[in-house]
Amino acid sequence: YSDAALQNKIGTGVTLDVSPTVTTSYYATVSGDGACANAAYTGKGVTVTVNRTATAADISANAPAPVCNGTSVTLAASSTTVPGGTFRWYQDAGLQQRVYTGDQFTVAPSATTTYYVTVSGSSVCENDDNTGKDVQVVVNRLATAADITAANPPAVCTGTIESLAASSTIPAAVYNWYTDPALTNNVYTGPSYQVTATANTSYYVTVQGTGVCASAANTGKRVQVSVNVRPTATLSGAAAICAGSTANLQVTFTGTAPWSIVYTDGSASQAVNGINTPNYTLNVSPAANATYTLLAVNDANCTGTVSGSGTVTTPPAVTAAITGGATAVCAGSTSAPFIGNPAGGAWSIAPTTTATIDAGGIVTGISAGTATITYAPNVACAQPSVTTTINVVAALATPVISG
């Protein structure tokens, strides 16, 4: 019976199958040979206690903050309505694929994933299908080099400050710059990074922002800084020349042709452009002693540094002269010596059929006529040669005395 008054009979027999939805009491009577059925309110009461089924409302399990692909996160569940509850985690809403039992569940999904947790405990049964508490783990993708716009800057000269710039369509983008592709040495944070160029160097920039995590190792955007080494020019050499002559000094270059230089003798400067050899001869013609230095050098790419010097000396000019001697000499006789200035030069005479001259400047007459004497000095910056003439007089006939 379903009532203590035994008015609503629901079955006969020693067993009774029931499926109550709430806690329910049933009443059984018995009768037999010599015994009548129980009177009202004297049946045997049997109570079937029905525990409720848990719902999502029984569980507290908040979704974690978004995580990056490959990052692990721990999901936690608790309940104030099911003390000491047992939590079970599933990867489907139908609660068919259980993946963990416990109140804390660590996962590392590669994409956004929803997990479902149930609870059961004292007087509370586990959630029915499709009634678990859903917990979504949002997984943000990792940025790649394709997410970043960052061009290689033009080549610069050593020591130049270069500005590297990055941009992206990712919202709220944050940029980090590294010196290694493994992204372990972070040197700057921001979209524009200024570096002092000293050598060819590669930098790597990453980006992260709304819904996108920073690039993984070896996936940053590479930015190449190319550096042109500044040229050098070294001046050397020493020479002594006569006024009006040309001296050769040497300029040695490093760098990339063509080169241009500016040099000075201490009073005026002069430029030479379009030099295509690393070993250049600089021709100078000072009017007086001079020391030359370089003021500037440029090669095909950069300005550079200069060093060294070259010196040119110009001895004073010497005027050659012939003194002494005689204006005439008899054939067969010798003259007083001619004197050459400066001393040490060489004598010559022409024609030699008229007269001869020795190293001491003494002329010997041979036959009547005029001879030209030449004196060539043997010192720097002297007049090349000087001349004079001498007349050779025929010897008088030997007188004959008679009578």
Side-chain angles (χ1 to χ4, degrees):
Y1 297 84
S2 63
D3 62 315
L6 306 179
Q7 299 298 308
N8 185 29
K9 182 165 50 175
I10 56 175
T12 300
V14 296
T15 61
L16 176 66
D17 294 330
V18 295
S19 298
T21 58
V22 295
T23 297
T24 303
S25 293
Y26 299 92
Y27 302 89
T29 64
V30 65
S31 62
D33 292 340
C36 295
N38 303 58
Y41 302 105
T42 64
K44 179 68 174 181
V46 180
T47 299
V48 177
T49 300
V50 177
N51 291 335
R52 72 177 181 88
T53 300
T55 67
D58 288 303
I59 304 170
S60 294
N62 295 327
V67 297
C68 299
N69 187 357
T71 302
S72 62
V73 61
T74 298
L75 310 180
S78 62
S79 178
T80 58
T81 56
V82 184
T86 297
F87 299 92
R88 296 175 179 84
W89 298 84
Y90 298 83
Q91 61 184 19
D92 65 310
L95 308 181
Q96 300 302 306
Q97 302 178 51
R98 186 167 68 187
V99 290
Y100 187 72
T101 299
D103 59 347
Q104 291 191 345
F105 176 34
T106 299
V107 295
S110 58
T112 297
T113 304
T114 300
Y115 298 91
Y116 303 86
V117 59
T118 65
V119 66
S120 62
S122 177
S123 300
V124 180
C125 296
E126 185 180 10
N127 307 54
D128 286 333
D129 296 351
N130 300 305
T131 64
K133 176 73 172 181
D134 61 290
V135 181
Q136 186 181 59
V137 179
V138 175
V139 178
N140 291 336
R141 72 176 180 86
L142 300 180
T144 67
D147 290 305
I148 305 170
T149 299
N152 294 332
V156 296
C157 301
T158 305
T160 301
I161 295 177
E162 183 77 279
S163 183
L164 312 181
S167 62
S168 177
T169 58
I170 294 174
V174 175
Y175 304 90
N176 283 286
W177 297 83
Y178 300 82
T179 58
D180 62 314
L183 309 180
T184 61
N185 186 30
N186 181 212
V187 291
Y188 186 74
T189 298
S192 181
Y193 176 36
Q194 289 191 331
V195 298
T196 299
T198 57
N200 292 341
T201 305
S202 292
Y203 296 91
Y204 303 85
V205 60
T206 66
V207 66
Q208 63 191 78
T210 303
V212 181
C213 295
S215 314
N218 300 305
T219 64
K221 177 74 171 182
R222 179 175 177 263
V223 180
Q224 176 69 34
V225 175
S226 298
V227 176
N228 293 318
V229 177
R230 293 185 182 275
T232 64
T234 302
L235 176 62
S236 62
I241 61 171
C242 300
S245 299
T246 299
N248 298 329
L249 302 179
Q250 299 300 314
V251 183
T252 303
F253 296 101
T254 65
T256 303
W259 293 272
S260 298
I261 58 171
V262 177
Y263 69 92
T264 181
D265 61 0
S267 60
S269 61
Q270 179 70 41
V272 181
N273 300 315
I275 301 170
N276 290 301
T277 175
N279 298 296
Y280 175 68
T281 299
L282 177 63
N283 298 318
V284 294
S285 300
N289 294 347
T291 298
Y292 291 86
T293 56
L294 297 174
L295 299 178
V297 63
N298 293 276
D299 71 353
N301 303 307
C302 304
T303 60
T305 57
V306 297
S307 61
S309 62
T311 58
V312 179
T313 57
T314 56
V318 176
T319 301
I322 299 174
T323 59
T327 59
V329 65
C330 293
S333 298
T334 59
S335 70
F338 287 85
I339 299 172
N341 182 60
W347 294 99
S348 62
I349 195 169
T352 55
T353 56
T354 300
T356 61
I357 190 169
D358 64 15
I362 297 173
V363 175
T364 299
I366 297 176
S367 61
T370 300
T372 299
I373 301 170
T374 300
Y375 179 71
N378 190 28
V379 295
C381 303
Q383 182 179 339
S385 63
V386 64
T387 64
T388 188
T389 59
I390 189 171
N391 292 318
V392 178
V393 180
L396 296 177
T398 304
V400 177
I401 302 174
S402 61

